[in-house]
Amino acid sequence: TQLLEQSPQFLSIQEGENLTVYCNSSSVFSSLQWYRQEPGEGPVLLVTVVTGGEVKKLKRLTFQFGDARKDSSLHITAAQTGDTGLYLCAGRLRSNDYKLSFGAGTTVTVRA
Amino acid sequence: EPEVTQTPSHQVTQMGQEVILRCVPISNHLYFYWYRQILGQKVEFLVSFYNNEISEKSEIFDDQFSVERPDGSNFTLKIRSTKLEDSAMYFCASSPNGTPKLFFGSGTQLSVL
């Protein structure tokens, strides 16, 4: 059973378009994170959200944590080819957990 | 910018052999982790390590696995008798405290033949 479900699995868009990827669960998380992973590299942390309803912006990226702390979304405005990559969400069920549970990821391809 | 370094980048071994994967976490970090990613699957937690002992481990981390911090800088993952299903990318990560902010290394691709 997947603790964190990410959708869509694959997303291909034209440069300049907007996109949203989703991370959903039936469990409540203490915190959720979004990572980006390039082929042959480790995940790189983009953002951590901890408060229900929280919205964080990182340049053209907007991250939202659901009010119930069960889901999150990543929105990219005016996508660029450099945004191409695997986007992973990961969560901690309890604040004193050491373990991060990862979703399977969304592979984003931005075409020139 | 400080980074987590892992060696080797690729390791090929025969089934039943022992392997040691090495990691140098970021120097002032206190929490250390191993994760793995089987090709085409999600990143999976293996173990966390703090204050020279395992703080949490997953069901994957059975008696064939062990971790060690042999000196002040290295953090190792040993697989005693490798199986075909141990083939995966193994990521080391560290964090400065118990916060969710993890820094991952580039991984060691382990292939068991």
Side-chain angles (χ1 to χ4, degrees), chain B residues 71-94:
Chain B
D71 51 46
S73 60
N74 291 284
F75 180 51
T76 62
L77 174 69
K78 181 193 289 186
I79 309 175
R80 263 179 271 282
S81 177
T82 51
K83 303 187 284 285
L84 295 176
E85 54 265 37
D86 293 329
S87 295
M89 180 74 93
Y90 286 80
F91 291 108
C92 174
S94 68

Side-chain angles (χ1 to χ4, degrees), chain A residues 33 37 41-42 92 98 100, chain B residues 35 37 48 56 91 98 100 106:
Chain A
Q33 300 181 298
Q37 186 178 17
E41 297 291 325
R92 282 191 180 185
Y98 295 97
L100 267 181
Chain B
Y35 284 77
Q37 187 175 29
S48 59
E56 190 173 354
F91 291 108
S106 296

Side-chain angles (χ1 to χ4, degrees), chain B residues 3 19 32-33 59 61 70:
Chain B
E3 59 181 21
V19 293
F32 314 112
Y33 309 84
E59 58 275 10
F61 195 89

